[in-house]
Amino acid sequence: MKEKMKKYSKPVLKFLLYFFIVLLVFLGLLLIQVAEWVPETFGDIPFEQVIFHMLAPVESTDTVNYVQSFIQECLPFPTILTLILVLLFTIQAQFSEKIRLKKTVIVNTVLVICSVISFGLGIQYCAISVNADDYIDGMFHPSTIYEDYYVNPQSVNYTFPEQKRNLIYIFLESMETTYEDIANGGAMENNLIPELTNLANNNLTFSGGNVANDGFNVLSGNGWTVAAMVGQTSGIPLNIPVDGNSYISEGNFLNGAYSIGEILEDNGYVNELLLGSDAGFGGRKYYFEQHGNYNIVDINEVKKRGWLEQDYYTWWGYEDVKLFEYAKNELTSLAANGQPFNFTMLTVDTHFTGGYPCQECIDLWGDQYSNVISCSSRHVGEFISWIQAQPFYANTTIVIAGDHKSMDTTWFDSIEESGYQRKGYFTIINPAIAPVSNESRIISTVDLFPTTLASLGVTFDSNRLALGTNLFTDERTLAEIMGVEELDAQLQKHSNYYDKNILYGIGKK
């Protein structure tokens, strides 16, 4: 009986050994491919963005595109090499009886070592490519930034002017001051965004005339679209723990956050979000519905209204040239209702890689991304001119802000190597008040939240909301107090306060 068990145990052990080797080799090679695929697909992203998109529910056809891209780019190479390895093992098994045991043990030992090294290198390469090392370090060294500086917006008293002012907030995909020429503080020989530069130079940027300091610093946890929207409208980063799939859902998205949408809704405003993609992607729909009860007009709604054919789909949904025309329709309708409104919109043509050249794009610069960026600037300039010609403009403040820095890493290689500090584009048009000083300020994503509210003529008994500072006051921003690098480092770290009071929303009124 014992001899029979030994006879059968050898093949089983050999099978398990080879299976272990094959599995580690496959996973190691797959991780190496993923390490290449993630930056090419999503750009130079922080690990918290990887965690977010892995765990956040999405309701979008874009998800299918990502899955297809993953299968096409990541699976073939490790699958082919693994199959070759399996074939070699099968051939080796046919001759195993003729090979000395000593040689077999040596070969198998070498294979095990090589497979473990392959797996280890895959983990290391993948972790470095998505900055997981910084994320892990932050988990073990929590920050107290919230205990030290956070002001709960729900605990603040707000006073609105007798005639409430409308807000138009335009999120521009990947729009940076980098695209301006050197004379205007950018990094380009030629200005790619002259219309946006003109708007910034003639309106409010809090740079005190120092064009080199135009724009805002994009912080960790605010470096992709939905996170940027959260940061600019709630004054906080978007962080969820690795086991956080239950914290973003139809009824749960940063329960403890209190956004400008909620403040305005509580004071009689109508909130609307217009975007040319599927609002379900990245949980944007959840955030805006739960934090301000926004009327969502995305590609699905546009098709329901019959503005687009049911099978129409290009780039991320539909192009910006249509978006701006739909925006005019929506603004005209909102203004006719007689109720103060907060109209928020998001462009998409300038998304990496290379952007989307619409039918109105002109080849000015010889490369597609530059042409698309210039086309976006022209569209915005024309749209602002249209708004300024409307009767509702006199009582309307416009905020234009890039959502985050572009993730098209290769396009910026030489720029970043030069030491140029890339920042998001930002300006306020027709604010109700003026800053108390003309000092050149150091601004970050979170400062746009209280500053936007103040630009409507709203007063509140705190110079800071959440982690953001009201730039109309002389209160120092956290970027000015701590420095941008230290502030960014603190936001990368884990925070018990954030988890308990913002993520879970314990104690929310």
Side-chain angles (χ1 to χ4, degrees):
M1 185 70 177
K2 289 182 179 180
E3 289 180 3
K4 194 171 183 180
M5 288 180 67
K6 286 181 180 180
K7 181 179 177 182
Y8 286 107
S9 64
K10 284 184 180 180
V12 171
L13 290 174
K14 187 179 290 187
F15 171 80
L16 291 175
L17 175 65
Y18 289 164
F19 177 80
F20 175 76
I21 292 171
V22 168
L23 179 63
L24 288 187
V25 169
F26 175 78
L27 291 176
L29 294 173
L30 179 63
L31 288 171
I32 290 172
Q33 291 298 109
V34 168
E36 296 284 348
W37 176 74
V38 168
E40 289 176 0
T41 305
F42 298 100
D44 184 17
I45 62 173
F47 189 65
E48 58 264 24
Q49 182 177 350
V50 177
I51 295 295
F52 176 81
H53 282 295
M54 285 173 59
L55 300 177
V58 291
E59 302 172 358
S60 172
T61 53
D62 297 315
T63 309
V64 176
N65 295 332
Y66 285 134
V67 172
Q68 290 176 344
S69 174
F70 174 82
I71 293 172
Q72 293 169 3
E73 300 295 329
C74 298
L75 289 182
F77 178 68
T79 300
I80 291 170
L81 286 188
T82 302
L83 289 175
I84 292 173
L85 186 59
V86 170
L87 179 62
L88 291 175
F89 280 150
T90 303
I91 295 172
Q92 190 262 354
Q94 301 298 319
F95 301 96
S96 61
E97 297 299 327
K98 301 177 183 180
I99 301 175
R100 288 185 179 181
L101 177 61
K102 185 176 180 180
K103 288 185 178 180
T104 303
V105 170
I106 292 173
V107 171
N108 288 342
T109 301
V110 170
L111 287 173
V112 169
I113 293 172
C114 289
S115 65
V116 171
I117 291 174
S118 170
F119 183 61
L121 288 175
I123 291 176
Q124 184 181 25
Y125 190 28
C126 196
I128 291 173
S129 87
V130 296
N131 304 305
D133 48 347
D134 292 334
Y135 182 86
I136 293 170
D137 180 71
M139 292 294 292
F140 287 99
H141 301 90
S143 172
T144 61
I145 187 171
Y146 292 91
E147 289 86 345
D148 297 337
Y149 294 106
Y150 181 79
V151 175
N152 187 345
Q154 298 172 82
S155 66
V156 174
N157 296 314
Y158 303 95
T159 302
F160 280 71
E162 185 175 349
Q163 185 180 17
K164 293 173 181 174
R165 199 171 186 84
N166 303 314
L167 171 63
I168 299 175
Y169 203 110
I170 307 173
F171 285 99
L172 299 181
E173 172 64 46
S174 304
M175 190 56 68
E176 305 184 22
T177 56
T178 312
Y179 308 139
E180 297 179 305
D181 57 354
I182 295 171
N184 284 288
M188 303 295 160
E189 182 178 348
N190 298 297
N191 194 344
L192 304 184
I193 53 171
E195 296 83 3
L196 288 172
T197 297
N198 182 60
L199 288 172
N201 289 346
N202 290 283
N203 292 286
L204 190 57
T205 61
F206 300 96
S207 62
N210 178 11
V211 292
N213 195 37
D214 279 350
F216 66 94
N217 295 278
V218 178
L219 300 174
S220 290
N222 295 140
W224 67 101
T225 298
V226 65
M229 291 175 138
V230 168
Q232 292 183 33
T233 59
S234 291
I236 53 173
L238 175 56
N239 295 323
I240 60 174
V242 292
D243 62 344
N245 59 316
S246 63
Y247 304 124
I248 294 182
S249 64
E250 188 173 356
N252 189 5
F253 194 124
L254 298 177
N255 275 351
Y258 190 62
S259 74
I260 191 169
E262 289 169 287
I263 295 170
L264 296 180
E265 181 193 22
D266 290 345
N267 286 275
Y269 278 69
V270 173
N271 294 321
E272 181 167 312
L273 172 66
L274 173 71
L275 65 167
S277 55
D278 189 329
F281 180 72
R284 295 172 298 185
K285 178 181 178 182
Y286 296 153
Y287 174 70
F288 283 100
E289 285 182 342
Q290 293 170 36
H291 295 280
N293 194 28
Y294 283 70
N295 175 36
I296 307 291
V297 183
D298 64 355
I299 186 172
N300 301 312
E301 176 62 25
V302 164
K303 288 180 178 180
K304 284 181 183 178
R305 296 182 182 186
W307 296 355
L308 286 176
E309 298 294 330
Q310 289 299 314
D311 61 349
Y312 190 91
Y313 198 92
T314 185
W315 194 231
W316 284 74
Y318 64 84
E319 58 272 50
D320 290 344
V321 67
K322 292 182 174 65
L323 182 81
F324 286 107
E325 290 305 310
Y326 299 157
K328 293 175 185 178
N329 294 338
E330 292 302 293
L331 284 170
T332 301
S333 177
L334 287 168
N337 288 338
Q339 198 172 350
F341 62 81
N342 164 27
F343 178 77
T344 301
M345 62 183 291
L346 168 68
T347 67
V348 75
D349 282 0
T350 45
H351 199 284
F352 83 105
T353 303
Y356 179 82
C358 70
Q359 63 267 34
E360 295 187 3
C361 277
I362 304 169
D363 187 3
L364 297 173
W365 312 112
D367 82 272
Q368 180 171 298
Y369 202 32
S370 297
N371 292 334
V372 172
I373 290 165
S374 290
C375 188
S376 180
S377 178
R378 287 195 302 276
H379 284 153
V380 176
E382 292 167 359
F383 183 56
I384 297 302
S385 295
W386 178 86
I387 293 173
Q388 291 174 328
Q390 305 309 305
F392 61 78
Y393 171 69
N395 192 44
T396 299
T397 294
I398 306 170
V399 178
I400 309 175
D403 56 353
H404 51 74
K405 294 185 292 186
S406 173
M407 299 175 188
D408 201 333
T409 51
T410 56
W411 199 85
F412 292 89
D413 281 346
S414 60
I415 294 171
E416 293 189 327
E417 287 172 4
S418 72
Y420 180 85
Q421 298 299 308
R422 296 164 55 195
K423 292 192 289 186
Y425 176 92
F426 170 63
T427 191
I428 298 180
I429 301 171
N430 201 27
I433 59 173
V436 297
S437 77
N438 198 35
E439 180 185 357
S440 184
R441 308 298 300 272
I442 301 176
I443 306 170
S444 67
T445 308
V446 293
D447 299 317
L448 275 57
F449 166 39
T451 302
T452 297
L453 189 61
S455 73
L456 301 177
V458 181
T459 58
F460 34 99
D461 55 0
S462 172
N463 290 336
R464 184 176 293 126
L465 297 179
L467 295 178
T469 299
N470 178 3
L471 298 171
F472 286 97
T473 71
D474 56 6
E475 181 88 12
R476 296 173 70 200
T477 67
L478 294 189
E480 291 168 335
I481 293 171
M482 306 168 64
V484 176
E485 288 187 6
E486 178 59 23
L487 173 58
D488 197 65
Q490 290 298 317
L491 293 182
Q492 290 181 38
K493 296 181 177 182
H494 177 74
S495 167
N496 295 321
Y497 182 98
Y498 181 96
D499 285 355
K500 177 181 177 181
N501 296 286
I502 298 174
L503 182 63
Y504 295 94
I506 295 174
K508 181 171 181 178
K509 293 180 181 178

